[in-house]
C-alpha cells in the first residue's frame, strides 16, 4: 500500500469509526487496514487513534492530521476527475444539503429534475436543521438561508425570504388583535427553538422588540404552523414555511408593516469555476428554478393569487465569496 493509499485508509477509518468497516468500504481486510494505520503512526511518530475492543476514536493529533489530509485527497480526486473528463461531463455522486423543511419542499424536486436530466449523476441529500460544514462532511453544494460573511466559498444568490408573524383568521378577528409590536405582551404565541428549550426574542424592523406569552415551544416549524392554524396564537416563521397555509387562507400575515429585512437565500459551494461539472451543472440548474420561486421574490403569499403586501425584491446580486453561517 503506497502512501496515498495509506492516507485514504486513514480517512476511511476516521469516517467509519472502525477498521473492519473501513476495510469493507475500501475492499481490503481489517488486518491490512490495521497494518496501514500502524505504519502511518510509526512514520509520523504519533498516535492517531485511541483503540479499545469496542471503538476507535481519533486522538487530538489524529484530528489535526485528518483536517490536513482531507483537502489533499480532495485536490487529488479533482485532478483525477479533470484528467478523466469529469470537469466536462456531469457524472458521479453529488452531495447536497439544505435546511430540512426547505430542502423537502424546494430542493428535493430540483434534485429529482436534475437526476432525470443527468443520468450519469447520483445524488445524496442531507436535509437537517443544523450547520453542515461542506468540506468536513464531504458535501458539494449547500442551500443557505442566512446573511453570509466573506470567505473562500462561492455563494450564488437566488432570492430572499420574508420573516413573518402569522395567525389564524379566527385569532386575528378576536378583540385586541396585534397592531404594533409593543402590544405583543398580551398575546399568546408558538415559538421555534432548535433545542425546544428557550425561545429567542421576537425582533421586528427598526430595532423594535415585542415579546408575546409563549404557550408552546417546539423544534419543528410544521408544528408551529399547525398550532397557529388551530388558533392557539401567533407564530413567527420564514415565508416559505407558511406559504401554503397563507394561500389556502388558513393563516394571515399580521404586523406586516413591522417586518425585519428579508433573509437572503444562497446556493453555496467550494471551488468556484474549478468545481466539477456535476456541481457547476447543478448550481445553474438549481439557480434558475429557485430564482423563479415566487416566495423567494416576496410574492405568492396571498389567497387567490393576489399580489403580496410588499413589493417584489429587486434584481439578484452576482455570485460572491461567502462563508456558511446559519441555515
Amino acid at each position: 500500500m503506497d502512501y496515498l493509499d495509506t492516507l485514504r485508509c486513514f480517512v476511511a477509518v476516521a469516517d467509519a469509526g472502525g477498521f473492519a468497516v473501513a476495510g469493507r468500504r475500501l475492499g481490503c481486510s481489517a488486518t491490512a487496514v490495521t497494518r496501514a494505520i500502524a505504519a502511518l503512526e510509526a512514520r509520523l511518530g504519533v498516535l492517531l487513534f485511541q483503540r479499545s475492543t469496542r471503538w476507535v476514536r481519533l486522538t487530538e493529533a489524529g484530528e489535526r492530521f485528518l483536517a490536513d489530509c482531507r483537502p489533499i485527497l480532495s485536490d487529488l480526486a479533482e485532478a483525477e476527475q479533470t484528467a478523466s473528463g469529469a470537469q466536462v461531463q456531469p457524472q458521479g455522486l453529488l452531495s447536497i444539503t439544505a435546511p430540512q423543511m426547505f430542502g423537502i419542499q424546494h430542493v428535493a424536486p430540483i434534485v429529482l429534475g436534475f437526476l432525470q436530466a443527468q443520468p450519469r449523476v447520483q445524488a445524496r441529500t442531507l436535509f437537517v436543521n443544523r450547520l453542515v460544514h461542506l468540506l468536513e462532511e464531504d458535501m458539494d453544494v449547500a442551500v443557505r438561508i442566512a446573511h453570509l460573511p466573506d470567505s473562500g466559498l462561492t455563494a450564488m444568490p437566488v432570492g430572499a425570504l420574508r420573516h413573518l408573524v402569522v395567525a389564524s383568521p379566527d385569532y386575528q378577528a378576536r378583540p385586541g388583535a396585534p397592531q404594533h409590536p409593543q402590544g405583543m405582551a398580551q398575546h399568546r404565541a408558538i415559538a421555534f427553538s432548535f433545542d425546544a428549550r428557550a425561545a429567542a426574542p421576537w425582533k421586528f424592523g427598526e430595532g423594535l422588540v415585542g415579546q408575546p406569552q409563549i404557550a408552546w415551544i417546539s423544534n419543528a416549524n410544521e408544528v408551529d404552523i399547525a398550532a397557529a392554524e388551530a388558533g392557539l396564537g401567533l407564530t413567527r416563521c420564514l415565508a416559505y414555511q407558511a406559504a401554503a397555509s397563507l394561500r389556502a387562507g388558513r393563516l394571515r400575515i399580521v404586523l406586516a408593516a413591522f417586518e425585519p429585512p428579508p433573509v437572503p437565500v444562497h446556493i453555496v459551494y467550494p471551488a468556484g469555476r474549478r468545481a466539477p461539472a456535476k456541481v457547476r451543472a447543478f448550481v445553474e440548474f438549481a439557480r434558475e428554478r429557485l430564482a423563479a420561486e415566487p416566495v423567494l421574490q416576496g410574492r405568492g403569499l396571498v389567497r387567490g393569487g393576489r399580489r403580496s403586501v410588499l413589493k417584489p425584491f429587486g434584481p439578484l446580486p452576482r455570485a460572491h465569496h461567502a462563508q456558511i453561517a446559519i441555515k
Side-chain angles (χ1 to χ4, degrees):
M1 187 177 292
D2 64 24
Y3 190 58
L4 283 176
D5 286 336
T6 301
L7 295 182
R8 294 188 181 99
C9 187
F10 164 68
V11 173
V13 173
D15 290 341
F19 296 103
V21 177
R24 287 194 295 270
R25 292 180 180 179
L26 296 171
C28 60
S29 68
T31 301
V33 172
T34 302
R35 289 174 178 170
I37 298 302
L40 181 60
E41 290 176 328
R43 173 175 177 147
L44 299 175
V46 296
L47 191 66
L48 298 173
F49 293 101
Q50 294 177 335
R51 303 160 172 85
S52 79
T53 56
R54 301 180 62 181
W55 49 260
V56 174
R57 294 176 184 170
L58 284 165
T59 62
E60 184 177 346
E63 290 178 352
R64 291 197 301 267
F65 191 59
L66 179 65
D68 292 334
C69 281
R70 286 196 189 279
I72 294 171
L73 295 177
S74 177
D75 288 346
L76 178 61
E78 182 177 323
E80 292 173 343
Q81 290 171 353
T82 300
S84 65
Q87 291 293 109
V88 179
Q89 178 65 39
Q91 58 182 296
L93 179 64
L94 179 68
S95 300
I96 306 148
T97 184
Q100 186 175 45
M101 190 174 180
F102 190 86
I104 293 170
Q105 289 185 2
H106 295 284
V107 179
I110 292 173
V111 174
L112 175 60
F114 183 72
L115 293 179
Q116 291 172 332
Q118 300 289 348
R120 299 181 67 182
V121 176
Q122 304 84 45
R124 177 172 69 99
T125 56
L126 180 63
F127 299 149
V128 290
N129 292 327
R130 66 171 176 83
L131 177 64
V132 176
H133 296 273
L134 270 69
L135 297 179
E136 293 181 11
E137 301 189 46
D138 294 327
M139 305 303 295
D140 297 306
V141 182
V143 177
R144 293 286 181 243
I145 304 172
H147 295 278
L148 305 178
D150 290 340
S151 85
L153 299 176
T154 300
M156 180 76 68
V158 293
L161 288 165
R162 293 171 57 187
H163 209 162
L164 309 175
V165 175
V166 296
S168 68
D170 173 69
Y171 189 93
Q172 193 177 27
R174 298 173 193 173
Q179 302 297 320
H180 193 280
Q182 292 178 346
M184 291 288 285
Q186 61 184 320
H187 290 279
R188 302 181 80 195
I190 309 101
F192 174 85
S193 170
F194 284 107
D195 61 5
R197 292 183 181 272
W202 286 33
K203 297 181 180 180
F204 295 83
E206 300 180 359
L208 294 172
V209 178
Q211 192 60 37
Q213 303 171 31
I214 304 300
W216 190 350
I217 299 177
S218 87
N219 69 335
N221 298 113
E222 298 91 336
V223 170
D224 298 350
I225 296 297
E229 289 181 0
L232 181 62
L234 309 169
T235 196
R236 189 174 55 164
C237 61
L238 292 174
Y240 80 91
Q241 295 164 344
S245 299
L246 290 166
R247 289 193 293 265
R250 298 189 298 272
L251 290 176
R252 292 178 183 173
I253 299 172
V254 299
L255 300 174
F258 302 97
E259 287 179 21
V263 184
V265 181
H266 294 86
I267 301 173
V268 179
Y269 59 103
R273 293 181 179 179
R274 295 176 61 240
K278 63 182 180 182
V279 173
R280 290 184 281 110
F282 178 79
V283 167
E284 183 59 26
F285 189 89
R287 185 197 65 80
E288 293 179 358
R289 284 150 183 81
L290 289 175
E293 285 285 348
V295 72
L296 291 178
Q297 311 307 322
R299 303 189 299 269
L301 299 177
V302 180
R303 188 173 188 178
R306 291 177 292 168
R307 296 180 65 181
S308 171
V309 296
L310 293 185
K311 293 181 180 180
F313 308 136
L316 299 175
R318 294 181 178 179
H320 60 90
H321 295 299
Q323 177 181 1
I324 301 172
I326 60 172
K327 298 171 288 302

